[in-house]
Amino acid sequence: MDDEYFMREALKLARHAESIGEVPVGAVVVKEGEIIGRGSNGSISTVDPTAHAELVALRDAARRLGNYRLIGCDVYITLEPCLMCVGAMFHSRIARVFFGASDPKTGAAGSVMNLFEEQRLNHHAVVLGGILAEECGSLLSQFFATRRAQQRP
């Protein structure tokens, strides 16, 4: 299995989020080639500002492993992670982060800032963006275009 395979799994979760009215972002946590955590955005339906896809996936993986440290695990996310999600990845000791679309408004893995390059922090992960970027970005763009059209009088 390769990076595109895992990103396509994250895209399935993003589409699920969209189907229930959530911002279409999905994430999977992978250890030794196996998906051990899955998550899709749930902030609206759960009334929880921390229910971002990657945090839901990290929680799922931690429960499965019985440990909040996810050493040797990778995360695949359809959208560049925000500051909060990067912080959770640091604390869980994620090894590698792969994302699809960049986030020029809140991206903390290179767009607005890159916390993974901050030398004063005690953990660093390898980061690679742009995996299936067009497909990931298109899903988000279409979602927000539809919402804007629905809000017009």
Side-chain angles (χ1 to χ4, degrees):
M1 291 182 229
D2 63 3
D3 295 339
E4 284 192 12
Y5 170 81
F6 293 119
M7 190 60 73
R8 289 199 187 288
E9 291 298 306
L11 274 163
K12 288 178 189 176
L13 293 161
R15 288 186 189 96
H16 167 73
E18 180 180 38
S19 76
I20 61 170
E22 295 282 352
V23 176
V25 178
V28 296
V29 177
V30 176
K31 182 168 185 148
E32 298 171 356
E34 179 186 345
I35 295 174
I36 62 163
R38 296 175 187 273
S40 56
N41 266 3
S43 294
I44 297 167
S45 60
T46 62
V47 193
D48 179 356
T50 70
H52 287 195
E54 47 270 68
L55 292 186
V56 174
L58 291 173
R59 289 176 186 136
D60 187 33
R63 277 191 298 272
R64 277 190 163 173
L65 293 180
N67 192 340
Y68 75 101
R69 296 283 198 214
L70 301 175
I71 296 169
C73 293
D74 301 331
V75 178
Y76 290 80
I77 317 149
T78 57
L79 180 65
E80 180 182 355
C82 71
L83 179 71
M84 173 181 68
C85 294
V86 169
M89 290 176 209
F90 281 171
H91 288 292
S92 63
R93 301 298 191 257
I94 289 296
R96 299 185 305 169
V97 177
F98 301 92
F99 66 87
S102 295
D103 185 348
K105 294 183 179 181
T106 63
S111 290
V112 175
M113 65 183 67
N114 192 340
L115 285 178
F116 292 104
E117 291 181 352
E118 176 54 59
Q119 294 304 310
R120 294 174 291 179
L121 294 172
N122 68 337
H123 177 72
H124 298 92
V126 174
V127 179
L128 179 63
I131 299 168
L132 301 178
E134 189 173 319
E135 192 171 343
C136 294
S138 177
L139 183 63
L140 285 157
S141 296
Q142 290 171 8
F143 174 81
F144 286 114
T146 300
R147 281 185 91 174
R148 283 189 296 274
Q150 291 171 344
Q151 292 173 351
R152 291 190 187 119

